[in-house]
Amino acid sequence: MALSVGLAFGSLTAASAATVDTVLSLVIDVSGSIDGGEYDLQMKGYEDAFRDSSIQNAITDTDGGNRNGSIAVNLIQFGTSASERLGFFVIDSAQKATDFADAIAGVTRHSSTLTGIGEGIQLASSTITDWLKDNSASRAVIDVSGDGTNNAGIAPSTARDAALAADVDAINAIAIQSASLQDYFDNNVVGGTNSFSLFASDFDDFDSAIKRKLRAEITGTNPIPLPAGAWLLLSGIGGLAALRRRKKA
């Protein structure tokens, strides 16, 4: 059912080329460490985000003609392997954002046990490249969420580097439940221009965290303000790659 929904959404945009501000791939951990209740909270977080008026306004904002006021977004789930559950859908109105939220509500869970973060990144990168063959975007972003480190398939750092060498501008991540996992994501997943990671203390906290993350990705901003004096520090020592929100692969 989910795959047919994804194909249906893809067909809506296939008739004519689209130009969007951001092409965004949502890459979601559904490995065995995430139980049914946690899975529901995670997916509901994405669904609620696309129903949120502030997210919808961020998508459709044209900034006085400087933006198109649209994004293209798909949804990938990963465990041992990765699967595109919703194909790319162009959102250029509040109604279409709501339609995409409805589609998320209908997604069935990809059957998985292990955690193949790299598999998710690799599939996201290839779907973005395929979409850009017939369409255009000012920015291409991969949005990863998960609650564990990689233990299956291609290494996340290898997939990250290949994605950034291809068509992807930034890979961002949100670590759920484990602060040490955020460090792992910073070192192995996050990369590219204006990239960042966020932390959700638990799956109940995920809803607000993913809205903050998506809002930043849609607008091309960074949700983590630089501390006072950081710009002087950066200019003085050549741009310190250690600042996690500015990581480059």
Side-chain angles (χ1 to χ4, degrees):
M1 174 183 175
L3 292 178
S4 64
V5 171
L7 291 173
F9 271 129
S11 68
L12 289 177
T13 59
S16 59
T19 300
V20 300
D21 300 301
T22 302
V23 56
L24 175 65
S25 187
L26 308 177
V27 180
I28 304 170
D29 186 353
V30 295
S31 60
S33 62
I34 296 174
D35 65 29
E38 292 169 337
Y39 170 81
D40 289 342
L41 287 170
Q42 190 178 17
M43 295 300 292
K44 190 68 163 54
Y46 283 100
E47 180 189 339
D48 288 348
F50 284 94
R51 298 191 194 281
D52 184 87
S53 60
S54 68
I55 299 293
Q56 294 178 351
N57 290 338
I59 293 171
T60 58
D61 179 20
T62 61
D63 188 25
N66 294 315
R67 288 168 43 88
N68 293 294
S70 61
I71 67 169
V73 58
N74 74 342
L75 189 149
I76 288 169
Q77 294 180 342
F78 70 88
T80 306
S81 62
S83 173
E84 184 181 38
R85 311 307 279 174
L86 293 175
F88 278 108
F89 181 48
V90 173
I91 300 175
D92 56 10
S93 68
Q95 182 57 56
K96 287 186 179 179
T98 299
D99 291 343
F100 187 69
D102 291 341
I104 293 174
V107 167
T108 55
R109 182 172 184 168
H110 177 49
S111 177
S112 293
T113 52
L114 300 178
T115 307
I117 302 170
E119 296 295 310
I121 294 172
Q122 186 176 61
L123 179 57
S125 177
S126 67
T127 62
I128 287 173
T129 293
D130 286 345
W131 191 83
L132 288 173
K133 289 177 181 177
D134 299 311
N135 307 280
S136 61
S138 300
R139 183 170 165 81
V141 178
I142 294 175
D143 172 315
V144 177
S145 68
D147 77 337
T149 60
N150 192 83
N151 58 17
I154 186 173
S157 58
T158 301
R160 174 198 62 196
D161 294 349
L164 294 175
D167 295 303
V168 176
D169 295 297
I171 303 172
N172 305 318
I174 181 166
I176 308 170
Q177 294 182 319
S178 170
S180 63
L181 180 62
Q182 187 177 14
D183 292 332
Y184 175 85
F185 281 173
D186 286 334
N187 292 321
N188 296 278
V189 175
V190 173
T193 304
N194 211 28
S195 57
F196 62 89
S197 68
L198 293 178
F199 174 63
S201 59
D202 54 32
F203 282 89
D204 289 316
D205 183 45
F206 183 79
D207 189 282
S208 61
I210 198 61
K211 286 176 183 174
R212 183 182 176 202
K213 186 168 187 279
L214 286 171
R215 193 177 298 108
E217 290 168 336
I218 290 163
T219 58
T221 58
N222 194 295
I224 311 170
L226 285 170
W231 288 116
L232 293 176
L233 175 64
L234 287 171
S235 60
I237 58 178
L240 257 188
L243 282 174
R244 68 175 45 164
R245 57 186 171 280
R246 298 287 175 183
K247 284 189 75 71
K248 289 283 288 182

